[in-house]
Amino acid sequence: MANKSGDFSLVVGHTFPDHNLHPTLTDHNLHHFPDMNLEKIYMDYNATTPPEPEVIQAVTEALRDAWGNPSSIHVAGALAKAVINQSRQNVARMVGGKAGDIIFTSGGTEANNLVLHTAVEHFRKNCEAAEQGEGQQNGCLGLPHIITSNVEHDSIKVTAKHLQMEGKADVTFVPVSKVTARVEVEDVVAAVRPNTCLISVMLANNETGVIMPIQEICQRIKSLNKQRERLRILLHADAAQAVGKIPVDVQELEVDYLTIVGHKFYGPRVGALYVNGPGARTPLHPMLFGGGQERNFRSGTENTAMIAGLGKAAELVTLNLSDYQSHMRSMTVYLEERLQSVFKDKIRFNSHYPGSDVLPNTCNVSIMGPALQGWRVLSNCRRLLASIGAACHSDRGHRPSHILLSCGVSTEVAANALRLSLGRETTKADVDAVVEDLRETVQLLEDMN
């Protein structure tokens, strides 16, 4: 891998280049960053991914050529509109939907908020109509009820808690199984009430990599929707961690909504929401009002360049997913074998659960020892860039991950956890170097202790 000179500061597994000093640092697709002449190895791809060269090119070309306002009727606006339409088709094709089902957003957080907002607003409007004699009243007693899991991303969990605190919704946080680390279908079904309006469960967990049984949940709930006279339960999956790593098909999953996050699959930091027939088959109530862009579902002049990058990233996934998945799986298997070989009975894998499938790139592991807390290990590694958990939880200090604790991992093991998430370009040489770095760090900390 080519080295480039640069200055970086390391903050628990993340590097931050000084672009004012080094404006030519663009080849970070190589996922290696130099620091004091020692090559760093990035294994934090579940936090974010570097944009592919083709994505950077698409963004650059859109900034240069498609700068017009997509709402303008002249040629400059028409070119921008064409770029957006092509990207919409690419994103839809990636998840098995139609172009008209894709709403572009600023990112996953906005998409998730839009779903929860829609569910509550749809419940309210239906109940108002029922009170006026325009529809059924079954299920309208009480607040709208939302079901989610206790291992969701904060953009779901915090939003749901806010709605609950404001008295706008009741929320049930279904605990994942401490055996499988999955949300069990029967537990979700058992939580359903007459006033349940939404079930939102992530497709894959960002810390354990465990894949949730979304298809089975949707099938059971859709069966209930047909059998009972009540407000329809809407179905949402946050697929931020799944897209680009495993096949994601909205037709197979049978979801009403699916959250898509560009920077998790080598695209830019924008997102999209799949909606199965927005405003027709499936409700969608806007949170932003203005010029009526995105068919009045998400006002604001479209970010053409970032949308172009998202479309290109989606196209690459559609073309190459099988290769991406196979490579990441083989590298993760190799990583776990090397860790087991070096650390033997000190190793605890927090991403292995009986009966559960996991993402092909995620290895959550603890190296046991009194001085080997995850944050301490990462702070002393010379080459490895990784995380102890979700990047959005980095401000919570050194507390063990609540995700791991919820999955039945003991406090002692969770405190030592490292989340190693691999990428499309990770090599066996990278793995060997990381394992050696960890071996040296563990030896250093044990000697100090």
Side-chain angles (χ1 to χ4, degrees):
M1 297 294 179
N3 281 331
K4 296 182 177 64
S5 61
D7 295 330
F8 295 82
S9 60
L10 177 60
V11 182
V12 193
H14 296 279
T15 54
F16 301 91
D18 186 338
H19 290 293
N20 294 322
L21 294 175
H22 307 284
T24 60
L25 182 62
T26 57
D27 198 17
H28 44 285
N29 175 59
L30 296 176
H31 69 273
H32 288 274
F33 300 100
D35 183 27
M36 296 186 299
N37 298 318
L38 186 66
E39 199 173 40
K40 297 292 185 179
I41 300 174
Y42 185 75
M43 286 193 177
D44 203 18
Y45 288 90
N46 283 5
T48 198
T49 56
E52 289 280 13
E54 296 94 327
V55 170
I56 296 173
Q57 181 180 354
V59 171
T60 302
E61 291 177 354
L63 284 170
R64 185 189 64 215
D65 302 329
W67 46 263
N69 190 318
S71 297
S72 299
I73 61 173
H74 49 60
V75 64
L79 178 57
K81 194 70 171 180
V83 169
I84 292 171
N85 288 340
Q86 181 61 57
S87 293
R88 200 184 306 276
Q89 292 177 11
N90 289 351
V91 173
R93 188 178 301 115
M94 176 179 67
V95 297
K98 299 176 182 176
D101 296 332
I102 300 300
I103 309 297
F104 291 117
T105 67
S106 62
T109 292
E110 182 188 339
N112 285 344
N113 273 260
L114 186 54
V115 172
L116 270 67
H117 166 84
T118 288
V120 170
E121 184 69 6
H122 182 62
F123 180 93
R124 183 186 67 80
K125 288 190 173 183
N126 270 274
C127 290
E128 284 181 356
E131 290 175 0
Q132 298 170 7
E134 299 176 12
Q136 60 186 9
Q137 295 189 17
N138 291 351
C140 282
L141 296 177
L143 295 172
H145 176 234
I146 296 170
I147 298 172
T148 186
S149 83
N150 67 338
V151 296
E152 296 297 312
H153 187 268
D154 275 356
S155 58
I156 291 290
K157 182 178 67 176
V158 175
T159 304
K161 286 184 175 180
H162 177 76
L163 290 169
Q164 192 171 37
M165 183 179 64
E166 293 286 310
K168 295 178 180 178
D170 285 332
V171 183
T172 297
F173 293 93
V174 176
V176 295
S177 164
K178 293 186 183 299
V179 175
T180 66
R182 305 194 325 170
V183 181
E184 298 300 337
V185 178
E186 294 302 329
D187 292 338
V188 173
V189 173
V192 170
R193 305 175 188 171
N195 57 330
T196 300
C197 64
L198 174 71
I199 295 174
S200 176
V201 176
M202 58 175 29
L203 185 49
N205 186 264
N206 55 311
E207 292 193 31
T208 64
V210 167
I211 299 170
M212 304 296 176
I214 300 301
Q215 183 177 24
E216 294 88 341
I217 290 172
C218 290
Q219 289 173 346
R220 289 290 298 277
I221 298 303
K222 289 200 169 186
S223 178
L224 286 179
N225 278 339
K226 292 177 182 178
Q227 295 171 10
R228 302 183 183 184
E229 292 184 1
R230 59 173 182 179
L231 292 170
R232 169 186 167 197
I233 301 174
L234 301 168
L235 299 162
H236 169 238
D238 179 351
Q241 288 296 336
V243 170
K245 299 169 187 169
I246 60 173
V248 177
D249 189 313
V250 292
Q251 304 304 322
E252 292 182 1
L253 294 174
E254 299 189 53
V255 291
D256 297 307
Y257 309 96
L258 187 90
T259 295
I260 299 163
V261 182
H263 74 98
K264 302 295 188 180
F265 57 98
Y266 293 75
R269 287 195 175 100
V270 291
L273 180 66
Y274 160 84
V275 185
N276 183 16
R281 288 187 301 275
T282 304
L284 188 63
H285 296 285
M287 293 192 301
L288 302 177
F289 298 87
Q293 291 85 354
E294 291 297 286
R295 288 155 288 159
N296 285 312
F297 294 121
R298 203 276 185 185
S299 287
T301 303
E302 298 92 338
N303 191 346
T304 305
M306 295 300 106
I307 290 173
L310 183 67
K312 176 55 69 172
E315 180 184 14
L316 293 173
V317 169
T318 301
L319 293 173
N320 303 303
L321 178 61
S322 178
D323 290 341
Y324 295 156
Q325 185 177 8
S326 176
H327 175 77
M328 288 187 288
R329 176 73 69 195
S330 64
M331 289 302 100
T332 302
V333 169
Y334 181 68
L335 170 63
E336 294 185 348
E337 289 174 348
R338 293 287 294 116
L339 288 169
Q340 189 78 67
S341 174
V342 169
F343 296 105
K344 298 181 171 52
D345 58 355
K346 289 184 179 181
I347 278 289
R348 303 288 186 275
F349 289 110
N350 308 314
S351 44
H352 293 180
Y353 297 91
S356 293
D357 293 327
V358 297
L359 293 172
N361 78 317
T362 304
C363 170
N364 195 305
V365 63
S366 298
I367 305 171
M368 299 311 299
L372 303 181
Q373 290 80 15
W375 66 269
R376 183 170 280 124
V377 171
L378 289 179
S379 296
N380 285 277
C381 280
R382 301 173 67 222
R383 305 190 67 180
L384 171 63
L385 303 179
S387 294
I388 58 175
C392 57
H393 295 163
S394 60
D395 61 344
R396 298 181 184 179
H398 305 320
R399 287 176 288 176
S401 163
H402 79 278
I403 299 293
L404 296 183
L405 297 177
S406 297
C407 295
V409 176
S410 71
T411 301
E412 179 187 17
V413 174
N416 287 27
L418 306 171
R419 183 187 69 176
L420 307 178
S421 48
L422 282 59
R424 298 171 183 175
E425 304 295 331
T426 303
T427 66
K428 285 188 174 182
D430 296 333
V431 170
D432 290 339
V434 162
V435 172
E436 177 60 19
D437 191 20
L438 286 170
R439 188 195 66 76
E440 292 175 354
T441 301
V442 166
Q443 184 66 56
L444 170 69
L445 292 173
E446 287 182 334
D447 290 346
M448 290 171 59
N449 191 53

